[in-house]
Amino acid sequence: MIFEEAGVPAFEAVNLTRSYRLEGVSVDALRGVSLRIHHGESVAIVGPSGSGKSTLMHLLGCLDRPTSGTLRVDGADVSTLDDAGLAELRNKAIGFVFQSFHLLGRTSALDNVALPLVYRGVGRAERRERARRALEAVGLAHRLDHRPSQMSGGEQQRVAIARALVGDPKVVLADEPTGNLDSRNGQEVMGILADLNTARGVAVVLVTHEREVAEAARRQIHVRDGLIERDTVSGTGPR
Amino acid sequence: MALEALRVNRLRSALTMFGVVIGVSAVVILVAIGTGAKEAIEGEIAGLGSNIILVVPGQVGLGAAPTQSRLDLNDVAYVRRVVGDPAKVTVAVNSGESVRVGRTEVFATITGTDEYMPNIFERPLRRGRYLSGTDVDTRRRVAVLGAEVGEKLFGDVDPIGRQVTIAGVRFRVIGLYESVGATFGVARDQEVHIPVTTAQRLIGLSRINGIAVGASGPDEIEPLRQRVVDGLSGRYPGERFSAVTQTQLLGTIGSVLGMLTGVLAAIAGISLLVGGVGVSNIMLVSVRERTREIGLRKALGARGRDVLGQFLIEAVLLTTIGGVIGILLGVGGSLLIQALSPVPAAITWWSIALAFGVSAGVGVFFGVAPARRAARLDPVIALRAE
């Protein structure tokens, strides 16, 4: 992974701001954030609620556009892309894991996992094959045809991780991935994310307000009041 | 994928489709009835015989007042000379009279005519013979009965050779018509044909009501019509004569019934429109309900047009499935109406194609607004929605 650090970073943000207009009042959620996250890194973005960490994650995930500043995702300047281009970038470069899993309720695990490949134009047989492998990788080979309602929270989050993985992304963005799980399932999910990072070299960016979860990552970026407060490398977590 | 979304909400999908089903089946049924009525009436006109020209005094047209006839038998002879073939011209004097046998009495249309009537109007006899030249020339009191008159007066008994009393005068039955049904609401089975000469004396008239000319081919109709009208107009300067051809009748009636069919289809179309509004409404609800799903799909790489396509396909699927069910119901309903009522119904392929096309179009038209709303959702807000 060392040689990749010298190359194009996964995320490169320069002086990002994001303000919203809420009933005529301008709210600055981010007030100038610069950071660089390299391929293969393990990063936690930490901060209390309202600190701007979610806004930062939405920007990094290309779900939203900055008000000002420059953001490059895998070398591509986001401001040069139209909405369809952003969608393609999300599809190819980023895997999402959400706090509330966000699985399609009446759809099997297999089809849930295969969903990102639908928007990449992958044929049905290949989609299912790749989805099956992704589910095996998270230890759910026996749950292919189960629906989310037939699975535990931990299993659902593992399906979501499989879905994030299926498209071979550069980065997995996990927004409070353990927020809806008990500690045992939470640890399991964190273990899978750590494996992903070490074994596959996928950069994992966690967004969390839990210190314990944050410490599982090697680098912590503390966000407060729309600014980066501290950027530390703890060394206890995986790289 | 779209089918799955519809299956998930079976009851709602079914109720939404219901509006389209009713609209489409109404279009198919009403058009079938309209077309059936048109075909039936056109069939009746064609069944009169072919290439007929009806000459009447005055002007014929919807809303024109009936004109007092001043034509008489001399004019018939004149028209025969104009046409050149006496056998191709016949005459009619009509009057409503009571016809009696013993104590049984029916009201019938008495038509005074001559031996050439069958040359021009096709109408099969069931029994006996038609009027002859001698019957007309010698003013015989003989009658050919319409099927219904014959049946009411004589039942199953063969009426040939028996006596009937028409307007107090005794006639001998020489022929009985087959049943032919009604034309323009004129019950032809309630007619009694007698020699025109006898009829004029019976009614006390020297006039006739109309002259019918049979052309030998379709191409001859128009020149012949012109010659007859010109001839009569020259004979009676300042008066108008009209000659109506079957083609004109067919054209007039066809356009009236076509309009009627159009109005019926339009009324049915409105219900289809209402069904479409229902589809739009449900799709909007669906978009709102599935906001999180849309947000997720966008996060996973769905572009605006992918989402647009997904919801449009759902809407179109909803209406086309409804359309197909509506067509099946409409065809079934038309056949049922045909079988159980006297209303004729003719199922036309164009009404089916139109109904299907319109229902698909309704899906696109009413699906666009909800689908666009879905496509434009901001993924961040959509993901956060509860």
Side-chain angles (χ1 to χ4, degrees), chain B residues 273 276-277 279-280 312 315-316 319 358-371:
Chain B
L273 207 69
V277 173
V279 170
S280 196
L312 260 190
V316 170
T319 56
V358 167
S359 60
V362 159
V364 173
F365 187 78
F366 289 100
V368 159

Side-chain angles (χ1 to χ4, degrees), chain B residues 55-79:
Chain B
V55 183
V56 290
Q59 190 143 19
V60 173
L62 291 175
T67 314
Q68 181 68 44
S69 172
R70 61 170 301 160
L71 294 174
D72 59 24
L73 285 178
N74 292 327
D75 298 309
V76 179
Y78 174 75
V79 169

Side-chain angles (χ1 to χ4, degrees), chain B residues 42-67:
Chain B
E42 286 174 350
E44 281 174 10
I45 296 174
L48 285 173
S50 48
N51 308 324
I52 299 167
I53 305 167
L54 299 169
V55 183
V56 290
Q59 190 143 19
V60 173
L62 291 175
T67 314

Side-chain angles (χ1 to χ4, degrees), chain B residues 35-244:
Chain B
T35 314
K38 190 173 162 191
E39 279 176 5
I41 290 178
E42 286 174 350
E44 281 174 10
I45 296 174
L48 285 173
S50 48
N51 308 324
I52 299 167
I53 305 167
L54 299 169
V55 183
V56 290
Q59 190 143 19
V60 173
L62 291 175
T67 314
Q68 181 68 44
S69 172
R70 61 170 301 160
L71 294 174
D72 59 24
L73 285 178
N74 292 327
D75 298 309
V76 179
Y78 174 75
V79 169
R80 285 202 160 108
R81 282 201 300 282
V82 170
V83 171
D85 182 356
K88 289 286 188 186
V89 179
T90 191
V91 61
V93 176
N94 296 311
S95 177
E97 305 288 347
S98 71
V99 182
R100 193 162 56 78
V101 172
R103 288 210 189 97
T104 319
E105 189 171 346
V106 296
F107 194 77
T109 306
I110 306 303
T111 300
T113 180
D114 59 21
E115 69 273 24
Y116 302 120
M117 180 67 111
N119 297 348
I120 293 148
F121 294 95
E122 288 164 16
R123 193 166 171 183
L125 277 172
R126 191 190 300 167
R127 287 220 171 83
R129 64 170 179 86
Y130 197 66
L131 306 172
S132 71
T134 322
D135 294 332
V136 178
D137 293 342
T138 59
R139 223 175 262 158
R140 275 192 191 136
R141 295 196 299 273
V142 290
V144 178
L145 306 183
E148 200 180 318
V149 177
E151 195 190 327
K152 279 188 178 158
L153 292 176
F154 294 100
D156 293 335
V157 180
D158 184 356
I160 306 300
R162 294 180 181 267
Q163 301 276 331
V164 293
T165 307
I166 301 174
V169 180
R170 299 180 84 169
F171 280 72
R172 185 166 53 87
V173 178
I174 56 166
L176 177 67
Y177 271 126
E178 284 284 3
S179 176
V180 289
T183 303
F184 309 137
V186 176
R188 292 206 285 151
D189 290 336
Q190 289 173 19
E191 286 177 355
V192 173
H193 288 200
I194 60 175
V196 61
T197 46
T198 320
Q200 284 181 326
R201 172 169 289 186
L202 185 74
I203 303 163
L205 265 182
S206 60
R207 307 285 185 217
I208 56 160
N209 294 110
I211 300 170
V213 181
S216 50
D219 297 339
E220 212 203 318
I221 295 175
E222 192 46 38
L224 198 58
R225 186 187 76 87
Q226 202 58 50
R227 250 167 45 223
V228 169
V229 170
D230 288 350
L232 285 173
S233 302
R235 203 166 145 91
Y236 298 104
E239 297 218 8
R240 298 198 62 129
F241 294 92
S242 304
V244 187

Side-chain angles (χ1 to χ4, degrees), chain A residues 137-160:
Chain A
V138 296
L140 287 175
H142 59 300
R143 287 279 195 253
L144 301 184
D145 296 320
H146 285 62
R147 292 176 177 189
S149 57
Q150 298 164 317
M151 291 186 272
S152 72
E155 285 174 323
Q156 289 184 51
Q157 195 59 302
R158 279 149 69 190
V159 172

